[in-house]
Amino acid sequence: FIGFIVANPKNFHREDGSWYELIANKVIEIDPINSMVSSRITKFLTDWRKLEPKRSDAMKKSLEKISKIENISPDLAEVVKRGLS
């Protein structure tokens, strides 16, 4: 995922926000297995304030979705908290 995001910013920042949601879903899936990877991937969703409103809202919603998972790892919780504050 990290390689895709870095190599394909146009697709990552699609206007419909679908990749932000996909990333959030994968982070939720990965976190119980490897919290370091999930937190590293989530850092790409923390720049939501720098985007235009439609993309910004979609990216923020993805972060909020991640923040609501049960048993979130401390690593991921820290990244999400910083991203939303």
Side-chain angles (χ1 to χ4, degrees):
F1 267 142
I2 295 172
F4 174 82
I5 295 166
V6 172
N8 298 292
K10 181 179 178 181
N11 286 321
F12 176 66
H13 292 292
R14 291 174 61 153
E15 189 174 350
D16 66 1
S18 60
W19 277 97
Y20 306 146
E21 185 175 355
L22 175 67
I23 296 297
N25 291 335
K26 288 299 178 182
V27 163
I28 291 167
E29 183 181 322
I30 293 168
D31 191 51
I33 301 164
N34 191 328
S35 64
M36 290 179 69
V37 171
S38 65
S39 62
R40 190 172 302 143
I41 293 170
T42 301
K43 288 179 183 178
F44 288 100
L45 297 174
T46 60
D47 288 338
W48 58 271
R49 290 175 191 85
K50 297 178 182 178
L51 301 173
E52 51 82 23
K54 189 172 185 176
R55 288 180 178 94
S56 178
D57 290 343
M59 190 179 275
K60 185 179 179 190
K61 285 179 186 175
S62 293
L63 269 178
E64 290 169 341
K65 180 178 183 174
I66 295 169
S67 74
K68 295 175 183 173
I69 64 174
E70 286 187 37
N71 302 319
I72 189 170
S73 69
D75 294 333
L76 182 56
E78 181 181 338
V79 171
V80 171
K81 182 179 177 182
R82 275 189 276 134
L84 291 173
S85 62

